[in-house]
Amino acid sequence: MNNPASAANLAMTSKRPSSELFTPNDPCLIRIETYSIGSPVVVICVSIRGEPHRRTERFVPSMDASPGVSNGVSTVTDSIGLTRRHWLYFVLITLVLLADGMEVTMVSHTFPSLAEEWGVTVGGGVTLVVTGGFVAMAVGALVAGRLADLFGRKRVLISATLLFSVATALGATSANFTAFTAWRFLACLGIGAVMPTGITLLADLVPARQRASLVAAGYAGVGLGTVVGAGLAGLLIPAGGWRALLVAGGVVPLVLVILLALVVPESPAYYATHGAIGKAKQVLARLAPGTDLSAVVIAGPSDHMNKQEAFAVILSRRFAATTILLWLFAFFSLGTQLLIAQYLPTLLQQPVPGLTTVQSSTIVGAYGFASVVGGLVLSAVLARVSRYRVIGFALALSSVVALAIGFAPNPVFGTLLLLLTIAGLILPTAFGPTRNILATAAYPTRVRGTGVGSAELCARAGSAAGGLVGGTLIGAGLGLAGLFLTVLLPIGLLLSVLAGLKFDARRIGADSTAGFREEDLSLTEPETRAGAARAGATASRQPLLGPPASPPEDRVVAEYKADLV
């Protein structure tokens, strides 16, 4: 083996006993020989009428506790599987994401009150707050993603949540619109930081095979936050005004982040990639109480990766195309989603359709509740189907829903409630969690925070652009129907970008379900990829007749690497 310390952690090749059998209706001899090259790969050689056929099967990896054999953190977490601790951490992180979504929605319900109290217009002050807030979220996302890779996901998540909860509560003390805007910008820095760090921490804690599914389910907390936010707005604004709403929006996340700080651990993968192997094993032991991990050797950081800055990695030859496509997808997906969410209450209270505050809050609440259901359905489907097929189907359905709302003739409250509930089931599912599902699967652990954070930067930039465009169009007289017809353009662009991401994932060898694993880090080295390609060419010249010979160790390992490439 040319590189025994490679991140793939391939063990010595061992040949298992072959088995021979006859099929009931065909006397041909089927001979099966398997060659184990260590978790998670077994090479199977099959002879049918003397003709060998070789294929590589990727089984669910299991831990190798053999002395001297190291395992990546993903290998260990996959072997442990989902435990009760995983579900506890999932719930707490999801609740913090719920508070994030709740705060964004609550502020949108304050705009009509601000217009009455300070004379703020939709095309003026409101557009400034929406657009500037998204710019602040973009900055917070980018900075937090890099800080999460340097100092830990949990530490940055706690700091970000404290920032936006305190700033939101203090926004209730604003004496004028300028002070309100300043507090809002500060809160948005924290809001922008919460999403990438929370999603990254969740992705690091759970097994790779369940990552996309649980990220989608966790993002459903954002949709549930819109339900809670709309409910609080309908309850508190008539009784205590918009200031009472902001106080509640600051207290709820403050309580949740205290619970998270006490219960949720730091990412074990973060510890391992920074050389803190002892701490990584302590977290893994917390994930599976009673499991003896004393004999398991955790792989340390990759020397090749540690020599590169995180941004150099995500913009390297291997990841550059994926990164750029993810940025485009994030820009248009979140921009479209929050364009609808931010202006929906205002559009519903325009002279046409002319709904009351209670009616619009009811519709927004139904829209948010439906988005939670849609997120959970997405999570269940992702556990079984490729993420590209699922997201593509959701985007196609979104275009149908947008057309239905755009051409609905003079809708009244009941019609809008039905249409927008259906829209809530589909549109936030297609626009909301999908960028994070794609981003968390695209990068290795050491740069995952930076990769997700940079995608979130583009997402927030898209939100700022959407806020600016939406405010301008609404100020120019665009109504509810026109807005939904307008979103057909970004839907078409998202479908095109998704096709590009699927093609590039095949090129770099990312699994369609689990995505990129830190055990594949050695494949980022150009010399490794070239060697794998040469080995694949050699394998293609093997004889087709005769019993399968035991493959040499180097050739089996090279064939495995070539298969990944």
Side-chain angles (χ1 to χ4, degrees):
M1 192 180 297
N2 296 329
N3 184 14
S6 68
N9 298 319
L10 301 178
M12 296 293 292
T13 304
S14 62
K15 177 178 175 182
R16 300 180 183 178
S18 62
S19 60
E20 297 183 356
L21 54 91
F22 289 91
T23 60
N25 301 318
D26 191 346
C28 74
L29 178 66
I30 300 178
R31 185 183 183 192
I32 303 175
E33 292 186 319
T34 61
Y35 302 89
S36 173
I37 61 173
S39 174
V41 176
V42 172
V43 175
I44 301 177
C45 296
V46 183
S47 292
I48 303 178
R49 289 197 178 94
E51 297 185 3
H53 302 270
R54 180 180 292 108
R55 74 177 187 272
T56 300
E57 295 289 347
R58 299 182 194 180
F59 296 105
V60 177
S62 60
M63 286 184 295
D64 190 340
S66 303
V69 178
S70 59
N71 298 269
V73 169
S74 288
T75 301
V76 180
T77 53
D78 287 350
S79 300
I80 293 173
L82 284 175
T83 66
R84 293 181 180 179
R85 295 293 180 90
H86 280 118
W87 289 113
L88 174 61
Y89 304 153
F90 163 78
V91 169
L92 289 175
I93 294 173
T94 300
L95 287 175
V96 172
L97 296 177
L98 180 151
D100 183 272
M102 178 188 72
E103 202 277 343
V104 172
T105 303
M106 285 194 312
V107 170
S108 68
H109 286 277
T110 67
F111 293 154
S113 299
L114 297 180
E116 293 180 5
E117 184 171 339
W118 292 325
V120 180
T121 62
V122 173
V126 171
T127 302
L128 173 65
V129 170
V130 172
T131 305
F134 287 143
V135 172
M137 291 180 194
V139 174
L142 181 64
V143 173
R146 187 67 186 112
L147 291 178
D149 283 336
L150 292 174
F151 303 111
R153 287 82 156 102
K154 178 182 176 180
R155 186 179 303 175
V156 177
L157 177 60
I158 291 172
S159 301
T161 307
L162 287 173
L163 175 61
F164 92 75
S165 63
V166 172
T168 299
L170 290 177
T173 66
S174 301
N176 50 54
F177 184 70
T178 301
F180 175 88
T181 303
W183 285 119
R184 178 61 182 164
F185 286 173
L186 189 60
C188 286
L189 285 173
I191 293 171
V194 165
M195 181 62 69
T197 51
I199 290 295
T200 302
L201 179 58
L202 177 61
D204 284 356
L205 287 172
V206 301
R209 285 287 171 181
Q210 285 78 36
R211 183 176 294 152
S213 179
L214 290 178
V215 166
Y219 197 91
V222 178
L224 185 59
T226 65
V227 178
V228 176
L232 288 175
L235 178 66
L236 295 178
I237 289 180
W242 62 270
R243 298 178 190 272
L245 182 63
L246 292 186
V247 171
V251 171
V252 171
L254 186 61
V255 174
L256 293 175
V257 76
I258 293 174
L259 292 174
L260 183 141
L262 294 174
V263 177
V264 178
E266 181 56 85
S267 160
Y270 163 79
Y271 281 140
T273 55
H274 286 74
I277 304 301
K279 291 183 178 180
K281 293 185 72 172
Q282 290 176 5
V283 175
L284 292 171
R286 288 180 61 182
L287 291 174
T291 303
D292 184 12
L293 300 175
S294 59
V296 177
V297 180
I298 303 297
S302 165
D303 291 336
H304 174 72
M305 292 289 288
N306 282 341
K307 294 177 182 178
Q308 294 182 284
E309 286 295 325
F311 282 106
V313 174
I314 68 173
L315 294 175
S316 64
R317 183 176 179 180
R318 184 173 193 191
F319 293 109
T322 293
T323 297
I324 293 172
L325 289 171
L326 279 173
W327 288 352
L328 289 172
F329 192 95
F331 182 91
F332 288 106
S333 62
L334 189 64
T336 306
Q337 181 194 13
L338 292 189
L339 167 66
I340 297 172
Q342 285 284 345
Y343 289 112
L344 187 57
T346 302
L347 288 169
L348 291 173
Q349 295 180 49
Q350 282 186 334
V352 178
L355 303 185
T356 65
T357 301
V358 174
Q359 288 176 325
S360 67
S361 296
T362 301
I363 290 178
V364 172
Y367 182 91
F369 179 78
S371 73
V372 176
V373 177
L376 295 177
V377 171
L378 178 67
S379 173
V381 175
L382 281 170
R384 298 168 176 83
V385 185
S386 165
R387 58 187 180 275
Y388 300 106
R389 292 182 180 180
V390 175
I391 295 172
F393 183 70
L395 288 171
L397 283 180
S398 298
S399 63
V400 175
V401 172
L403 285 170
I405 297 175
F407 289 107
N410 300 320
V412 295
F413 171 70
T415 304
L416 287 173
L417 179 61
L418 175 62
L419 287 175
L420 288 171
T421 299
I422 296 173
L425 184 67
I426 299 170
L427 297 181
T429 302
F431 300 141
T434 48
R435 70 186 185 281
N436 291 314
I437 292 168
L438 295 168
T440 54
Y443 301 109
T445 301
R446 195 183 76 83
V447 298
R448 184 172 294 140
T450 301
V452 175
S454 66
E456 197 68 15
L457 163 70
C458 295
R460 300 300 182 175
S463 301
L468 179 62
V469 170
T472 302
L473 292 176
I474 293 171
L478 187 71
L480 182 69
L483 180 70
F484 276 91
L485 291 176
T486 302
V487 305
L488 290 172
L489 177 60
I491 290 174
L493 293 172
L494 287 171
L495 284 168
S496 300
V497 173
L498 182 67
L501 283 168
K502 181 179 180 180
F503 175 81
D504 202 56
R506 291 178 178 176
R507 178 184 65 85
I508 66 176
D511 185 275
S512 63
T513 302
F516 195 88
R517 298 163 57 91
E518 67 260 27
E519 284 83 349
D520 298 333
L521 285 179
S522 63
L523 298 181
T524 61
E525 303 177 43
E527 60 272 19
T528 303
R529 293 170 57 83
R534 288 193 298 270
T538 302
S540 65
R541 295 192 292 269
Q542 297 303 311
L544 296 178
L545 298 177
S550 299
E553 176 188 330
D554 287 345
R555 182 163 63 83
V556 175
V557 174
E559 286 175 353
Y560 166 53
K561 291 181 178 181
D563 180 65
L564 283 181
V565 176

